[in-house]
Amino acid sequence: MNSPYLPGRYPAVRLRRTRADDWTRRVVAEHSLSADDLIWPIFVMDGVGKREPITTMPGQWRVSLDQLVAHAEAAVALGIPAVALFPCLASESKDAEGTQALNPDNLMCRAARLLKAAFPALGLIGDVALDPYTDHGHDGVIRGGTVANDPSVELLAKQAVVLAEAGFDTLAPSDMMDGRIGVLRAALDHAGLQHVRLIAYAAKYASAFYGPFRDALGSGQALRGDKLTYQMDPANSDEALREVALDLQEGADMVMVKPGMPYLDIIHRVNTTFGVPTLAYQVSGEYSMIKGAIDNGWLDPERAVLEALLAFKRAGCSAILSYFAVDAARLLARDRLSLPKTKS
Ligand code: PBG
């Protein structure tokens, strides 16, 4: 709205007229949600025939690789453009340096090869960070008692090349080390991987809403201390714009704000300031809050999910990483086929 002065007055103006029927509501709708807007995070694990429910995220699973293609097929069939993979390692495979992150035959690399072979057109987003691989649960390596920036970035760049070579067409660094986008971009380009895209978790906050995800990965109990020295302070907003500006200068193709719903103001500022593809991560705690209320019968299972996702579009998002992606895409596909809803 360019003018702060709205034309017209009641009773000549009655905004309820355009709300009166389904067709006018559809015609004047400013935003919409479709499967194209959704990215589904998937947790993979070792073993055979495993589909373990994640207790703190009802309706989400950890799947072994033999189950992965069938699991991802749900998203592909509904037209979801991409999935984001996260690995759940057994604690014996973790160490202080996150050694497994650099193994070209690790869980993520094997998962990427399977999914690329089964669904060549599906976008594959690989998480770049060390926390699934470290026994202390931090996203980088520890030197002298703190998470050390530059040594971590060096390892993350190697991890990025390993993941890209295994078939991830997009990498999403979620570690929040300074300077990592530029170093990753240079490492990928040097390895002849110029086509690999970077989604920067540019404004990632030190949030309580990651709790269920850390349970899913088993990195929660392992985590020593907190992530306040590298993830952003929830009190800050201008700082998010600086983070985004730096990541764009360093070569990020898309930027992400995380968590989602408590940070809609940040999404809006980022998108209006930079006008670049802005993604949100509706994180595990947001999912579990809504899902928990739905499972208790406190929220409408369909409307609550779609309303929460549409809010991201209204705030300026191009796409949303959401554990509800498959459920939401199913609802949207059904709504497209159904007749207009009756008046209420
Ligand atoms: C860590 C990472 C986290 C999430 C994605 N990558 C958690 C953390 O920073 O501890 C959270 C995702 C979610 O909560 O759904 N690299």
Side-chain angles (χ1 to χ4, degrees):
M1 212 175 305
N2 296 323
S3 163
Y5 304 106
L6 286 167
R9 266 171 210 266
Y10 170 85
V13 174
R14 290 177 186 266
L15 292 183
R16 287 188 60 187
R17 275 197 285 265
T18 50
R19 295 182 201 135
D21 288 294
D22 182 72
W23 78 263
T24 41
R25 289 194 293 268
R26 276 157 55 210
V27 162
V28 303
E30 297 172 42
H31 298 282
S32 64
L33 183 69
S34 84
D36 291 345
D37 304 317
L38 302 171
I39 295 170
W40 194 34
I42 296 179
F43 298 103
V44 292
M45 67 187 298
D46 262 317
V48 179
K50 290 202 171 140
R51 199 165 185 269
E52 286 183 4
I54 301 166
T55 323
T56 50
M57 299 175 70
Q60 300 298 312
W61 294 267
R62 284 177 284 254
V63 296
S64 56
L65 294 188
D66 58 316
Q67 308 287 308
L68 178 61
V69 167
H71 191 69
E73 192 152 27
V76 176
L78 288 161
I80 290 173
V83 295
L85 297 192
F86 294 95
C88 307
L89 268 69
S91 48
E92 310 86 74
S93 306
K94 302 184 185 185
D95 58 30
E97 298 293 298
T99 311
Q100 276 305 315
L102 304 188
N103 176 356
D105 213 27
N106 70 17
L107 195 52
M108 286 282 274
C109 294
R110 283 179 280 134
R113 287 193 283 267
L114 279 172
L115 284 181
K116 260 292 153 215
F119 309 114
L122 176 69
L124 269 191
I125 302 172
D127 181 55
V128 178
L130 296 183
D131 57 305
Y133 310 93
T134 52
D135 56 11
H136 45 71
H138 281 290
D139 293 39
V141 286
I142 296 177
R143 303 281 181 267
T146 63
V147 175
N149 197 84
D150 297 5
S152 298
V153 171
E154 208 174 299
L155 290 171
L156 294 167
K158 289 187 182 146
Q159 180 189 22
V161 171
V162 165
L163 291 171
E165 281 176 342
F168 284 99
D169 42 55
T170 302
L171 298 173
S174 64
D175 56 286
M176 287 299 278
M177 297 301 123
D178 285 325
R180 88 276 206 218
I181 298 296
V183 176
L184 258 66
R185 185 71 270 164
L188 291 166
D189 289 355
H190 183 73
L193 297 159
Q194 292 87 350
H195 60 283
V196 173
R197 280 138 279 188
L198 288 175
I199 299 178
Y201 283 69
K204 174 170 176 179
Y205 286 86
S207 173
F209 290 94
Y210 307 149
F213 172 97
R214 292 181 191 166
D215 291 339
L217 249 61
S219 62
Q221 316 94 290
L223 182 63
R224 278 185 233 145
D226 53 48
K227 300 193 178 184
L228 293 167
T229 69
Y230 46 106
Q231 298 180 346
M232 280 184 58
D233 183 342
N236 297 350
S237 171
D238 289 343
E239 189 188 354
L241 300 186
R242 292 184 75 191
E243 282 285 3
V244 168
L246 287 168
D247 285 356
L248 289 172
Q249 271 167 358
E250 291 174 28
D253 301 292
M254 305 175 225
V255 294
M256 202 197 305
V257 175
K258 176 184 176 188
M261 196 139 78
Y263 296 85
L264 289 173
D265 58 322
I266 307 297
I267 295 167
H268 190 251
R269 281 193 81 187
V270 165
N271 191 254
T272 49
T273 305
F274 297 101
V276 297
T278 308
L279 277 61
Y281 199 143
Q282 183 190 47
V283 299
S284 55
E286 297 176 66
Y287 170 84
S288 300
M289 262 192 322
I290 297 172
K291 181 72 172 153
I294 288 171
D295 290 351
N296 274 293
W298 300 335
L299 280 178
D300 181 290
E302 303 187 354
R303 292 174 54 210
V305 169
L306 295 180
E307 182 179 333
L309 291 170
L310 183 60
F312 291 110
K313 293 295 299 292
R314 197 184 61 239
C317 277
S318 305
I320 307 123
L321 278 88
S322 171
Y323 301 100
F324 285 119
V326 168
D327 296 339
R330 202 169 280 137
L331 291 173
L332 293 166
R334 191 203 59 189
D335 286 353
R336 255 203 327 274
L337 299 174
S338 70
L339 289 168
K341 284 154 232 112
T342 48
K343 217 171 173 177
S344 59

